[in-house]
Amino acid sequence: MKAVEGWKKEFLGRVAQLTMGQSPDSKYYSEEENGLPFLQGCAEFEARFPMHKMYCSQTKKLAHAGAILFSVRAPVGKINIADRDYIIGRGLAAISGIDVNQSYLEHYLIFKEPSFRNASQGSTFEAINSAELNGWPINYPTSKPEQTKIAEILSTVDQAIEQDEALIAKQQRIKTGLMQDLLTRGIDEHGNLRSERTHQFKNSPLGRIPVEWEVKSLEQLTTRIVDGVHHTPAYAESGIPFIVITDLTGSADINFSNTRFVSERDHRKFSKRANPKSGDVLVTKDGTLGIARIVPPDAPEFSIFVSVAMLRPNQDVCLPELIWAFFESGEFLIQLGALSAGTGLAHIHLEHFRSFLLRHPPIAEQQLIFRTISKQQDLINSAMSGLHKLKKQKTALMQGLLTGKKRVTALLKKEALML
């Protein structure tokens, strides 16, 4: 491949200062604020700002404020920026640019994270050592202004991504509060949120509820409550999707893209017990509890494992969303704790499902409630779509700007003329 004019390929250790962490002797660190905060590995710095619980008085392995904290042990390649001076342990390295702009270096290391991960795998312990890190090749423009401009462009996209993520988090909080209000107080025929100052309420086993509401068991609101096949089936290379817990927990919907399969013959046999269809609610009942997903209209035929329950709402009186919201809100955990007190259960048994109590608005009001919640979800989906586009844009920009395929020299010339 022809070298890019004005660019250079060099080893990381020749263009940056690398400090590999080393765990100090136990006599040098404690939980008391004596010395500098100590970071052992990746788990302590994945947040926006590094977190620490220990302090160290030995200052040999020092990461100065502004240094790139680089994880050298699983997961290799994760980075953060030191917000102050730290002592670093064996799981980290500190990297500071010399011939390369620090911000450019930060973006380059993020760009190369998958390569670091791949290079560190294949042994019994995923890690990268000092020689490998120092000898890692890095491509960069020799012009410092070009390095700076590349970093500025990518940082601008990062800021836009952070703003979108903050907006989504805010919209999620609004949705959570809205669901709490609507599912405990409801909405009247004029579209107003009920309160005890303006509407009548009554006592119930679940606290105060609008007088128009009832409290009903999940058994009263459904026509079927079952779980899936109670033995591990013989899997097939193709056939009918077989849904297990991970197919519900891996995304916001039922994930049919990576399922296991069973034969049509086994599926027909399993369907005698559980035959999921559009509008049913699937709920995880073992290990990871209470993850609920509504079966969409376009779902293929599928079977379920014993770790998944199938709840079929009586849609004359109960929308699937009402059951979904009961689990999504986490309210089931409070009732499950009372139902299984003293047993230490990590399961929801079918008798628990039947006994769960739900606040039950009239069906017309349920429709109003979930239309309102759906509008809020549409705002979140729109913001998430924008975030997805930004991340794709950043990936494309990194691929171009950090390899020299896309140059910023024209921008630099234009800026120079404007001075």
Side-chain angles (χ1 to χ4, degrees):
M1 177 176 163
K2 186 178 178 181
V4 178
E5 183 181 354
W7 279 59
K8 187 176 182 180
K9 187 173 185 178
E10 188 56 272
F11 295 132
L12 181 59
R14 291 182 179 176
V15 297
Q17 178 184 344
L18 273 65
T19 301
M20 303 296 290
Q22 183 176 358
S23 297
D25 190 283
S26 59
K27 67 181 179 181
Y28 290 109
Y29 65 98
S30 67
E31 294 183 7
E32 299 178 3
E33 292 192 37
N34 180 24
L36 292 173
F38 174 72
L39 298 176
Q40 176 60 44
C42 183
E44 296 161 308
F45 77 94
E46 285 190 307
R48 183 179 177 89
F49 296 107
M51 305 291 290
H52 64 277
K53 297 179 182 178
M54 304 295 290
Y55 288 82
C56 180
S57 58
Q58 186 184 45
T59 59
K60 287 184 178 180
K61 297 298 183 178
L62 185 62
H64 290 288
I68 297 169
L69 298 172
F70 182 94
S71 175
V72 297
R73 294 186 176 183
V76 171
K78 291 289 183 182
I79 75 163
N80 201 349
I81 306 301
D83 60 322
R84 55 169 296 175
D85 288 354
Y86 288 95
I87 305 299
I88 54 174
R90 294 183 184 278
L92 296 175
I95 306 176
S96 298
I98 299 172
D99 292 339
V100 177
N101 175 287
Q102 185 77 344
S103 184
Y104 178 91
L105 188 55
E106 176 189 347
H107 288 292
Y108 192 86
L109 292 174
I110 292 171
F111 175 56
K112 287 297 181 179
E113 182 188 340
S115 300
F116 282 114
R117 189 73 50 81
N118 291 337
S120 66
Q121 291 173 346
S123 61
T124 54
F125 184 71
E126 184 184 336
I128 188 169
N129 61 34
S130 176
E132 291 169 326
L133 190 57
N134 275 278
W136 193 270
I138 172 172
N139 292 310
Y140 63 98
T142 54
S143 163
K144 286 290 183 73
E146 188 170 355
Q147 293 177 28
T148 301
K149 178 55 66 176
I150 289 171
E152 284 178 1
I153 293 170
L154 293 175
S155 294
T156 299
V157 179
D158 281 341
Q159 290 169 7
I161 287 172
E162 286 183 12
Q163 289 171 359
D164 274 15
E165 288 174 338
L167 174 62
I168 291 168
K170 179 181 177 181
Q171 296 287 6
Q172 290 281 16
R173 290 193 296 272
I174 291 172
K175 179 188 172 184
T176 299
L178 186 64
M179 286 181 65
Q180 173 66 23
D181 288 339
L182 291 174
L183 295 170
T184 55
R185 294 190 280 157
I187 187 170
D188 66 19
E189 65 275 14
H190 304 295
N192 299 317
L193 190 68
R194 289 194 182 90
S195 76
E196 295 213 38
R197 295 193 305 274
T198 55
H199 296 77
Q200 288 186 308
F201 280 66
K202 64 184 178 182
N203 293 324
S204 82
L206 297 178
R208 302 281 287 172
I209 60 173
V211 293
E212 297 88 349
W213 291 20
E214 298 178 80
V215 169
K216 291 188 175 182
S217 70
L218 199 48
E219 186 171 35
Q220 292 174 298
L221 298 174
T222 57
T223 58
R224 291 194 74 187
I225 297 178
V226 296
D227 53 18
V229 59
H230 280 226
H231 64 273
T232 302
Y235 294 120
E237 290 188 5
S238 61
I240 306 298
F242 186 75
I243 297 298
V244 298
I245 283 181
T246 52
D247 299 317
L248 303 186
T249 58
S251 65
D253 302 300
I254 304 171
N255 185 1
F256 289 99
S257 65
N258 196 32
T259 62
R260 294 171 176 173
F261 298 97
V262 294
S263 68
E264 290 193 26
R265 178 180 178 182
D266 281 346
H267 169 64
R268 287 195 298 272
K269 184 168 57 177
F270 301 156
S271 294
K272 293 177 182 177
R273 177 178 180 86
N275 60 331
K277 64 180 185 179
S278 174
D280 288 350
V281 183
L282 304 184
V283 185
T284 58
K285 59 185 280 288
D286 297 314
T288 302
L289 303 181
I291 303 298
R293 302 286 183 253
I294 299 172
V295 179
D298 59 350
E301 282 192 57
F302 63 95
S303 286
I304 59 174
F305 195 39
V306 62
S307 54
V308 177
M310 184 196 87
L311 316 179
R312 180 162 294 161
N314 178 351
Q315 296 204 33
D316 290 335
V317 296
C318 178
L319 295 181
E321 290 82 358
L322 188 68
I323 296 174
W324 166 83
F326 172 73
F327 292 98
E328 175 73 9
S329 68
E331 186 173 350
F332 78 96
L333 286 169
I334 300 171
Q335 295 189 35
L336 181 64
L339 291 169
S340 60
T343 65
L345 284 176
H347 311 277
I348 309 176
H349 292 300
L350 295 181
E351 61 264 29
H352 296 141
F353 282 106
R354 297 185 186 103
S355 301
F356 284 141
L357 297 178
L358 279 69
R359 298 174 186 84
H360 180 247
I363 191 72
E365 188 174 348
Q366 291 178 46
Q367 292 166 344
L368 280 174
I369 287 171
F370 288 104
R371 274 203 296 269
T372 303
I373 293 172
S374 179
K375 288 178 182 177
Q376 181 61 31
Q377 184 60 51
D378 288 343
L379 293 175
I380 295 171
N381 292 343
S382 177
M384 290 182 72
S385 176
L387 177 62
H388 178 68
K389 289 178 182 177
L390 267 177
K391 288 185 174 181
K392 285 184 68 176
Q393 180 186 4
K394 183 188 174 185
T395 299
L397 280 171
M398 291 177 86
Q399 180 63 42
L401 292 174
L402 296 173
T403 60
K405 294 177 182 177
K406 188 177 183 68
R407 303 298 296 271
V408 297
T409 46
L411 282 174
L412 291 171
K413 289 177 182 178
K414 183 178 181 180
E415 289 177 359
L417 290 172
M418 293 174 65
L419 294 177

